[in-house]
Amino acid sequence: MGTRGLAEGVVLVLGGRSEIGLEVARRLAPGRVVVLAARRSQELAPNSAEVMSAGATAVHTVEFEADDTSAHPAMLEKIVAEHGRIGIAVLAFGVLGDQLRAEQDPAHAMAILRTDFVAQAGMLTLLTNLLRAQGDGQIVVFSSVAGVRVRRANYVYGSAKAGLDGFASGLADALHGSGVHLLLVRPGFVIGRMTEGMSPAPFSSTPDQVAAATVAGLRKRAGRVWVPRILRPVFFAMRLLPQPIWRRMPR
């Protein structure tokens, strides 16, 4: 493998029933071992079958609770011991949470931050150490345009994504020259289970479109991918909006 292309090894999807994570797994599956990690892993048989049908040589499931960070080191060790080195790790777990509830309930606000930022930062640190020791590997982090400039309408979720975006950006710089590649994906509104019942925002995308852009970014060893690409100049302009106008921006 050169400086471009996909790293060899197991494809690990943390958040193994995530629509985007599964779409990424399907695209990476041909000729590879895939591990789907999620809560209630015994219920992942349909998801495993879908990835197998996409060409995986084997699909394994692992119990994974994002907020139980103390269990993460042993889980990763077990995956490597039983299935081999991790080539590509996809962090596809997260929660949207309830903004109105989070504004009244500190425990709910902290729960969103714990899953969407704290657990992600911990897992990224573990994966970084593991892949650095191997000398290569790729990590996918899903940020969001919600974290590029946080809006009043979803500031709890947005602040978690802002923290994750900053952490991943700094980590990518720290990994420069190590052989380990981090891809930061910044989707806009994604139409799927997580946003069911919500009105789509402008420049929305589907899990399929996000996954396609993600895999293309992995192949090119890109640092950042916006989905759709038009969001990059849009949010450059959004940063310049005066605060009184920004304050009234919808989700």
Side-chain angles (χ1 to χ4, degrees):
M1 184 203 68
T3 56
R4 285 176 173 250
L6 301 174
E8 296 177 1
V10 170
V11 174
L12 170 62
V13 180
L14 296 155
R17 57 172 55 84
S18 150
E19 288 174 286
I20 294 173
L22 285 167
E23 288 292 345
V24 172
R26 280 200 316 106
R27 285 169 167 76
L28 297 176
R32 287 179 178 266
V33 173
V34 177
V35 176
L36 302 178
R39 284 183 294 181
R40 306 184 307 282
S41 56
Q42 71 278 6
E43 299 174 9
L44 291 173
N47 309 111
S48 298
E50 182 184 342
V51 177
M52 275 297 292
S53 69
T57 57
V59 181
H60 304 282
T61 59
V62 173
E63 191 66 21
F64 169 61
E65 170 54 67
D67 294 337
D68 186 9
T69 52
S70 62
H72 296 175
M75 181 194 71
L76 291 179
E77 287 174 16
K78 187 169 186 284
I79 289 168
V80 173
E82 294 184 0
H83 309 302
R85 72 201 302 277
I86 295 170
I88 304 173
V90 182
L91 278 70
F93 63 91
V95 296
L96 191 58
D98 183 325
Q99 172 68 30
L100 292 178
R101 178 184 168 194
E103 291 184 25
Q104 301 296 322
D105 180 0
H108 187 57
M110 288 188 288
I112 296 168
L113 295 172
R114 187 180 305 116
T115 302
D116 290 348
F117 177 49
V118 176
Q120 300 254 355
M123 180 58 74
L124 283 169
T125 303
L126 289 171
L127 286 167
T128 295
N129 292 337
L130 181 63
L131 299 187
R132 261 187 168 149
Q134 291 179 177
D136 79 327
Q138 292 177 280
I139 303 170
V140 177
V141 180
F142 288 104
S143 178
S144 168
V145 296
V148 175
R149 184 177 180 184
V150 178
R151 281 164 285 185
R152 186 265 174 269
N154 63 351
Y155 68 78
V156 179
Y157 173 78
S159 64
K161 288 297 188 180
L164 177 61
D165 197 286
F167 187 95
S169 296
L171 177 57
D173 287 339
L175 288 171
H176 184 72
S178 69
V180 181
H181 164 241
L182 187 146
L183 172 62
L184 181 61
V185 184
R186 289 175 176 154
F189 186 96
V190 180
I191 301 167
R193 282 197 312 266
M194 194 172 177
T195 57
E196 194 170 346
M198 299 168 67
S199 300
F203 310 113
S204 296
S205 58
T206 64
D208 188 69
Q209 290 169 324
V210 176
T214 298
V215 174
L218 284 170
R219 291 187 184 281
K220 292 186 293 186
R221 300 251 163 172
R224 292 178 179 83
V225 171
W226 296 72
V227 190
R229 284 185 293 180
I230 186 64
L231 284 173
R232 184 175 185 176
V234 166
F235 267 79
F236 179 82
M238 290 285 200
R239 288 177 186 271
L240 305 178
L241 279 179
Q243 196 62 34
I245 297 173
W246 184 255
R247 189 178 298 127
R248 295 194 296 272
M249 289 291 288
R251 168 189 49 76

